[in-house]
Amino acid sequence: EFILEDGKYITEREVEKMSKSKYNVVNPDDIAEEYGADCLRLYEMFLGPLEQSKPWNTQGLSGVYGFLKKFYNLYFDGDTFSVSDEEPTKAELKVLHTLIKKFTFDIQNFSFNTSVSQFMIAVNELQKMKCNKRAILEPLAVIISPYAPHICEELWEKLGKNTSIEFEKLPELNEAYLVEDEINYPVSFNGKMKFTLALAADLDAKQIEEIAMSNEKVQEILAGATPKKIIIVPKKIINIVF
């Protein structure tokens, strides 16, 4: 609505539920025609908790569409389908099993929107790693298939499978891949963080203190001063007071 007041146009906006009487209905067929049924399905899950009312914003579809392209491109090298049978790295397995854990919890609690967020995080991380390992990409397609069945069915066929992905069992979580071997400790001096120090996750406080005090950066910042107190919280922080 445009209101003329003192020579200026003031705009007002009203958010309402879709209704034929309000002439604000969005035809899902039009969305599916432009973006694809998977994109529409995934976007509806991404909008928010099922029990809440959510504003419809067509602009949000482009973000989901971009995610689906990234996901699809994991299986390709340019225009060529390219999936390797190499063993996945520990980092790649951690990304996959972090996703499995989140997905399993969300399905049980009907939190579909947070699953989609985790899909996006996982695909971004795997893209950065340039992962094209079959041991990662096959279960990834199975996990995403309830949300985007058409694209996953196509990828499943390209992976050489003769049966539908619909009948494939969901991958099982292995907590061992989620255990941290290394911790990045923030090293603080008088409460101000200066740098991080990567240390083995199984070190005790005494071992952490010995390694930290022998570090070149620590000695450089101390400049010969003797610390009054060294606070070590295993797997969290190193704070040196001087």
Side-chain angles (χ1 to χ4, degrees):
E1 181 183 1
F2 290 88
I3 305 170
L4 187 62
E5 185 176 295
D6 296 330
K8 295 180 181 179
Y9 277 111
I10 299 173
T11 60
E12 291 186 353
R13 183 179 176 190
E14 186 176 14
V15 178
E16 296 176 323
K17 290 184 178 180
M18 287 188 191
S19 168
K20 290 181 180 178
S21 63
K22 298 291 184 182
Y23 301 100
N24 61 356
V25 174
V26 176
N27 188 337
D29 292 340
D30 296 337
I31 301 295
E33 181 68 27
E34 183 174 356
Y35 293 96
D38 281 343
C39 187
L40 173 60
R41 181 187 180 101
L42 204 64
Y43 178 61
E44 287 183 322
M45 295 298 99
F46 189 45
L47 281 173
L50 290 178
E51 70 277 7
Q52 295 181 11
S53 297
K54 300 166 283 283
W56 178 269
N57 183 357
T58 310
Q59 292 179 343
L61 283 161
S62 59
V64 175
Y65 185 71
F67 156 72
L68 285 173
K69 286 200 293 186
K70 278 186 182 180
F71 166 59
Y72 189 80
N73 287 335
L74 284 176
Y75 299 76
F76 287 82
D77 182 7
D79 294 329
T80 306
F81 185 78
S82 177
V83 174
S84 167
D85 290 323
E86 292 179 36
E87 286 296 315
T89 65
K90 192 165 187 180
E92 292 167 342
L93 286 167
K94 183 182 177 183
V95 171
L96 174 64
H97 285 269
T98 299
L99 176 59
I100 294 172
K101 184 173 184 178
K102 179 65 175 166
F103 170 83
T104 304
F105 175 84
D106 288 343
I107 285 289
Q108 293 170 348
N109 291 276
F110 298 97
S111 300
F112 305 125
N113 58 309
T114 53
S115 275
V116 178
S117 297
Q118 194 63 39
F119 293 160
M120 293 177 176
I121 292 169
V123 167
N124 282 337
E125 290 181 353
L126 292 173
Q127 185 185 51
K128 289 177 185 176
M129 296 174 186
K130 297 182 178 179
C131 175
N132 69 337
K133 314 288 176 56
R134 181 179 292 272
I136 301 295
L137 298 185
E138 280 192 4
L140 180 65
V142 174
I143 292 170
I144 296 180
S145 64
Y147 292 76
H150 302 88
I151 191 172
C152 291
E153 192 70 61
E154 179 183 335
L155 291 170
W156 197 244
E157 183 181 352
K158 288 183 178 296
L159 286 164
K161 308 298 182 179
N162 296 320
T163 57
S164 172
I165 196 171
E166 180 183 353
F167 303 110
E168 192 69 17
K169 289 184 178 180
L170 290 171
E172 294 182 4
L173 171 65
N174 187 340
E175 294 274 5
Y177 292 122
L178 305 182
V179 177
E180 293 284 354
D181 288 336
E182 195 173 73
I183 304 291
N184 278 321
Y185 284 89
V187 182
S188 301
F189 293 82
N190 297 330
K192 294 182 179 179
M193 203 272 279
K194 296 294 184 181
F195 62 92
T196 59
L197 189 61
L199 300 175
D202 58 354
L203 296 177
D204 60 29
K206 187 177 179 182
Q207 292 171 316
I208 295 168
E209 181 179 332
E210 290 175 355
I211 295 172
M213 291 309 296
S214 63
N215 183 270
E216 290 181 7
K217 290 183 179 179
V218 171
Q219 293 299 322
E220 183 181 334
I221 293 171
L222 287 174
T226 302
K228 295 178 182 178
K229 193 175 183 181
I230 301 174
I231 303 168
I232 306 290
V233 181
K235 299 185 180 180
K236 290 189 176 179
I237 62 164
I238 300 170
N239 187 26
I240 300 171
V241 181
F242 67 100

